[in-house]
Amino acid sequence: DAGVIQSPRHEVTEMGQEVTLRCKPISGHDYLFWYRQTMMRGLELLIYFNNNVPIDDSGMPEDRFSAKMPNASFSTLKIQPSEPRDSAVYFCASSPPDRTYEQYFGPGTRLTVT
Amino acid sequence: GENVEQHPSTLSVQEGDSAVIKCTYSDSASNYFPWYKQELGKRPQLIIDIRSNVGEKKDQRIAVTLNKTAKHFSLHITETQPEDSAVYFCAASITGGYNKLIFGAGTRLAVHP
């Protein structure tokens, strides 16, 4: 199994631009989580899905952030417009139906907004 | 709201010594407590976990203990090696219809040869 796949691995963009991060969960996993990691705030849960349905988006910082999961093998996190304070590493994680809490992380996307 | 506190924030040990990291949680209904290791520039990786019906679990040089009454759990690494150097995160499950984890702030462990 290839594990959780994220793209791009690095993204550098200018303030005001739209950014789209992508995630492919492990096949057969039915939970998908989006996290943001910064030195100041640590690992923050932004949103998570179960069977492609958003369950809890209370961690999404503001309306500039949106996430979708159109099918079981693909999810996107979009930031529009991006701001310098959005610079962080964004991780996607997935977990299997019989072990919901066991989360397996992707390699992350390092986002830099200038 | 739910919270997980982790101590210490940094820990420096000599190779071969033991390292202990402690976490406390606030949700008395939490029943799953994983530990993740994150090496520099890498993803967090699950290294060991414990459920509320177990007081202790061991896997080679690492062990976790859980005290549900006091709502705290600990990670113990024995015979530390330089490759154990990383940031370690504890987490606790949040119940009440949610299937998510709340993470501690992390402990940066440095093992010196």
Side-chain angles (χ1 to χ4, degrees):
Chain A
D1 195 327
V4 176
I5 299 172
Q6 289 187 247
S7 64
R9 295 293 309 277
H10 302 273
E11 177 79 34
V12 180
T13 191
E14 292 183 347
M15 182 175 63
Q17 296 298 307
E18 177 180 295
V19 175
T20 300
L21 312 181
R22 297 174 176 78
C23 175
K24 176 179 169 55
I26 294 172
S27 177
H29 285 195
D30 64 345
Y31 277 85
L32 184 140
F33 305 82
W34 281 102
Y35 289 90
R36 177 172 67 177
Q37 186 176 42
T38 62
M39 288 295 293
M40 291 297 294
R41 301 176 69 87
L43 202 56
E44 303 174 275
L45 177 64
L46 300 177
I47 185 171
Y48 74 97
F49 297 82
N50 177 221
N51 290 321
N52 314 336
V53 176
I55 302 300
D56 181 3
D57 65 353
S58 60
M60 295 286 263
E62 48 198 275
D63 292 345
R64 298 185 297 106
F65 286 68
S66 63
K68 294 182 180 179
M69 192 166 185
N71 57 63
S73 59
F74 184 66
S75 177
T76 59
L77 177 68
K78 186 176 293 186
I79 308 173
Q80 166 64 17
S82 58
E83 297 182 2
R85 60 193 169 117
D86 301 330
S87 297
V89 179
Y90 291 81
F91 287 103
C92 174
S94 68
S95 62
D98 56 340
R99 301 188 305 279
T100 301
Y101 291 120
E102 289 186 20
Q103 297 182 19
Y104 296 88
F105 284 75
T109 295
R110 181 174 295 277
L111 173 66
T112 303
V113 183
T114 61
Chain B
E2 300 87 359
N3 185 46
V4 174
E5 294 190 357
Q6 184 171 347
H7 300 281
S9 57
T10 60
L11 181 58
S12 182
V13 300
Q14 289 296 123
E15 182 178 1
D17 288 350
S18 295
V20 180
I21 303 170
K22 300 181 179 180
C23 290
T24 59
Y25 59 97
S26 60
D27 185 356
S28 57
S30 293
N31 56 14
Y32 176 73
F33 308 90
W35 287 87
Y36 285 80
K37 175 183 180 183
Q38 186 177 27
E39 297 176 359
L40 188 63
K42 301 289 183 63
R43 75 189 77 188
Q45 290 196 296
L46 178 65
I47 57 172
I48 195 168
D49 56 18
I50 191 168
R51 298 188 182 273
S52 59
N53 58 347
V54 176
E56 182 174 359
K57 183 177 179 180
K58 190 173 182 179
D59 182 5
Q60 299 183 354
R61 295 186 298 105
I62 60 175
V64 290
T65 58
L66 172 64
N67 183 328
K68 284 217 72 178
T69 303
K71 291 193 286 187
H72 66 69
F73 56 112
S74 301
L75 176 71
H76 304 252
I77 306 174
T78 58
E79 301 173 19
T80 53
Q81 302 168 3
E83 51 264 39
D84 294 330
S85 298
V87 178
Y88 292 81
F89 293 94
C90 64
S93 62
I94 300 301
T95 56
Y98 297 94
N99 291 305
K100 62 182 185 180
L101 301 173
I102 297 296
F103 284 83
T107 295
R108 184 173 300 278
L109 173 64
V111 181
H112 302 284

